[in-house]
């Protein structure tokens, strides 16, 4: 990161051992919005040397890998199910989930926030969104963990586990789709089944793909971002205190912590044709990584970019949700989850401080964050007041 930031002062495009990286806010945004650059998600099998495996040939095209008119059609059909209003409907449930997780640790005075809160947090929410019952939450958690191995840079070795989990998830979601067709409910699958535009509807395979994309894209991202955001707050105690005092700052705190330390630090594109962009010609097929992390610390977009300020009002958007046609479909839901969780954590774990070093996932992880975040705080006394009031040693 430090080297990329140094390089950003000289040029918008940096040559790295892994290829070219676009590092400024303006150019990262422009490349992500340029339709001549396509998502490299479709190349994950090729890049990992398993393109010819049964697993890759049996996969449906994920929305993340689609481009052009088929991608536009899909986004149009599903857009209504992912609006801020749709996410707001889940907020009461989200509040129950975060408070129940915090109930289990608040009285003890210490926890590993990653294992105790961040890891379990998104699963019930995604299951509620999809309409999967509570007794199946554990299944979803295991499938998500196994399928996420796809990002561990050892696809050849992980393939059997990933393939088995994908097959189980396929069967489960396929059956759920059939059930919702017969008996619609107030959930995302029923909304997607009903979604229609000019007589066009999602096919069975597309419904299964969308449900799986939501599970895959909406779980590990959210849990890692929550851990990144809390890691920042606990190492900036004045910001923890400010948010505890003014919980209405939660939406800004979410954007600011996602800007300062995003769980998705970059994404990959390839030139679908020869592209002339600014002073550079990219031959067709060139892989280009877009560094969301350095773009988010670009001083031309964010004054004093290395200062964390949860009350920051910014005209430039942080880029951790991406930009352009693949902009995160679940951004409203992710924002709702983080906006509900942060104020609960800073008020119910008063003046929490580190109880040992933060451990981070290896750099190879596509989605990244702390693997361990040990916190200690003063549990509430019998009178209900926190003994932390007056603690200044955080
Ligand atoms: C803090 C949490 C999250 C972060 C940081 C995040 C980040 C991202 C990013 C960067 C992309 C674009 C990737 C690219 O352009 O190559 C993306 C796409 C996507 N995200 Fe998220 N995401 C989060 C949560 C969610 C949630 C909760 C859901 C589902 C409810 C979700 C569903 C999706 C889907 C379906 C796409 C693909 C969109 C497309 O290709 O058209 N994400 N996300």
């Amino acid at each position: 990161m430090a080297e990329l930031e140094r390089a950003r002062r000289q040029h918008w495009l940096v040559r790295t051992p892994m290829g070219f990286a676009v590092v400024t806010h303006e150019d990262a945004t422009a490349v992500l919005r340029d339709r001549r650059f396509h998502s490299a998600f479709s190349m994950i099998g090729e890049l990992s040397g398993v393109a010819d495996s049964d697993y890759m040939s049996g996969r449906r095209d994920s929305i993340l890998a689609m481009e052009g008119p088929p991608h536009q059609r899909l986004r149009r059909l599903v857009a209504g199910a992912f609006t801020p209003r749709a996410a707001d409907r889940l907020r009461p449930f989200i509040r129950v989930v975060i408070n129940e997780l915090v109930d289990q640790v608040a009285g003890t005075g210490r926890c590993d926030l990653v294992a105790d809160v961040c890891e379990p947090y998104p699963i019930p929410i995604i299951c509620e969104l999809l309409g999967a019952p509570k007794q199946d939450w554990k299944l979803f958690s295991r499938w998500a963990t196994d399928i996420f191995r796809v990002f561990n840079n050892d696809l050849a070795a992980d393939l059997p586990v990933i393939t088995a989990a994908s097959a189980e998830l396929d069967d489960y979601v396929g059956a759920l789709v059939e059930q919702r067709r017969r008996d619609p409910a107030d959930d995302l699958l029923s909304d997607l089944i009903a979604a229609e535009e000019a007589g066009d509807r999602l096919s069975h395979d597309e419904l299964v793909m969308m449900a799986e994309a939501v599970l895959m894209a909406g779980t590990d991202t959210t849990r890692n971002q929550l851990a990144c955001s809390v890691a920042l707050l606990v190492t900036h105690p004045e910001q923890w205190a400010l948010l505890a005092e003014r919980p209405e700052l939660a939406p800004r705190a979410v954007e600011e912590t996602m800007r300062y330390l995003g769980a998705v630090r970059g994404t990959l594109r390839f030139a679908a044709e020869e592209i002339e962009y600014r002073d550079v010609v990219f031959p067709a097929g060139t892989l280009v990584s877009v560094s969301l992390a350095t773009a988010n610390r670009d001083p031309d977009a964010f004054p004093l970019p290395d200062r964390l300020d949860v009350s920051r009002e910014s005209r430039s958007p942080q880029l951790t949700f991406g930009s352009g046609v693949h902009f995160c479909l679940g951004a409203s839901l992710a924002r709702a989850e983080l906006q509900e969780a942060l104020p609960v954590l800073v008020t119910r774990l008063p003046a929490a401080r580190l109880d040992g070093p933060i451990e981070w996932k290896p750099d190879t992880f596509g989605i990244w964050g702390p693997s361990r975040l040990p916190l200690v705080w003063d549990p509430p006394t019998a009178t209900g007041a926190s003994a932390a009031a007056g603690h200044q040693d955080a």
Side-chain angles (χ1 to χ4, degrees):
M1 265 296 287
E3 275 189 47
L4 281 182
E5 293 214 349
R6 258 195 306 281
R8 188 193 54 215
R9 288 183 211 127
Q10 292 168 45
H11 208 276
W12 59 273
L13 187 66
V14 175
R15 190 199 298 269
T16 77
M18 275 101 69
F20 292 104
V22 179
V23 287
T24 63
H25 189 276
E26 187 184 340
D27 296 292
T29 309
V31 166
L32 290 176
R33 291 186 179 172
D34 188 327
R35 295 191 178 195
R36 297 170 301 168
F37 285 103
H38 286 188
S39 164
F41 199 76
S42 55
M43 296 162 82
I44 196 159
E46 236 171 278
L47 295 173
S48 320
V50 297
D52 300 331
S53 65
D54 290 349
Y55 171 73
M56 293 316 290
S57 56
R59 295 312 297 157
R60 300 178 184 87
D61 252 358
S62 158
I63 184 168
L64 266 159
M66 292 168 77
E67 292 293 341
H71 180 253
Q72 284 161 20
R73 165 184 168 268
L74 203 61
R75 288 285 299 217
R76 262 201 319 271
L77 274 169
V78 304
F82 290 96
T83 57
R85 260 186 61 197
D88 285 347
R89 277 197 316 198
L90 276 173
R91 283 191 190 248
F93 181 79
I94 293 174
R95 281 195 280 273
V96 171
V97 174
I98 187 66
N99 275 296
E100 282 183 0
L101 288 170
V102 174
D103 284 346
Q104 290 174 27
V105 295
T108 68
R110 54 170 25 96
C111 76
D112 169 15
L113 198 87
V114 170
D116 296 331
V117 177
C118 303
E119 290 281 334
Y121 183 47
I123 295 283
I125 299 165
I126 292 289
C127 287
E128 176 78 6
L129 178 77
L130 292 173
K134 190 168 183 171
Q135 66 267 23
D136 295 339
W137 288 357
K138 280 217 164 71
L139 278 177
F140 273 82
S141 185
R142 181 169 62 74
W143 291 329
T145 306
D146 285 351
I147 297 174
F148 279 132
R149 290 169 186 243
V150 83
F151 296 115
N152 285 9
N153 282 3
D154 196 6
L155 196 50
D158 286 333
L159 216 50
V161 176
I162 298 172
T163 311
S166 300
E168 284 176 42
L169 178 62
D170 264 13
D171 288 348
Y172 183 100
V173 175
L176 197 58
V177 167
E178 288 314 318
Q179 197 186 334
R180 284 296 179 273
R181 273 193 204 285
R182 289 192 301 272
D183 191 10
D186 184 18
D187 55 38
L188 178 78
L189 265 190
S190 305
D191 285 354
L192 292 178
I193 289 168
E196 192 224 283
E197 208 194 57
D200 188 14
R201 286 178 173 245
L202 296 176
S203 68
H204 176 87
D205 272 5
E206 286 170 335
L207 286 165
V208 175
M209 180 277 283
M210 276 311 300
E212 295 183 6
V214 162
L215 175 70
M216 299 310 301
T219 312
D220 218 30
T221 44
T222 307
R223 53 163 74 115
N224 277 289
Q225 187 59 57
L226 181 58
C228 283
S229 296
V230 176
L232 280 178
L233 293 175
V234 76
T235 50
H236 295 75
E238 77 295 345
Q239 300 292 311
W240 184 291
L242 178 59
L243 186 58
E245 208 179 300
R246 296 182 55 198
E248 73 279 8
L249 288 178
R252 285 196 213 166
V254 168
E255 299 312 305
E256 176 68 347
T257 53
M258 287 188 73
R259 177 190 76 78
Y260 199 96
L261 197 63
V264 180
R265 293 180 296 175
T267 184
L268 215 53
R269 293 290 183 269
F270 72 94
E273 58 191 84
E274 181 176 290
I275 300 173
E276 196 174 336
Y277 173 78
R278 289 188 61 164
D279 46 350
V280 176
V281 175
F282 294 90
T286 312
L287 273 177
V288 183
S289 67
V290 180
S291 171
L292 308 175
T294 48
N296 279 336
R297 297 283 190 104
D298 184 342
D300 289 340
F302 305 100
L304 297 176
D306 296 328
R307 199 175 86 189
L308 181 77
D309 174 5
V310 296
S311 64
R312 185 189 287 263
E313 264 184 292
S314 176
R315 268 190 282 139
S316 309
Q318 55 86 6
L319 291 184
T320 302
F321 286 125
S323 186
V325 293
H326 289 284
F327 178 78
C328 177
L329 196 55
S332 298
L333 179 64
R335 286 187 163 118
E337 290 175 79
L338 296 164
Q339 288 167 6
E340 295 299 336
L342 289 183
V344 168
L345 290 169
V346 295
T347 48
R348 295 196 57 197
L349 314 181
R353 51 225 177 256
L354 284 177
D355 189 23
I358 304 177
E359 289 166 23
W360 297 89
K361 291 182 178 160
D363 254 349
T364 50
F365 271 72
I367 301 167
W368 175 84
S371 55
R372 195 164 170 273
L373 180 49
L375 295 185
V376 59
W377 62 92
D378 301 296
T381 60
T383 60
S386 165
H391 251 276
Q392 296 302 319
D393 58 340

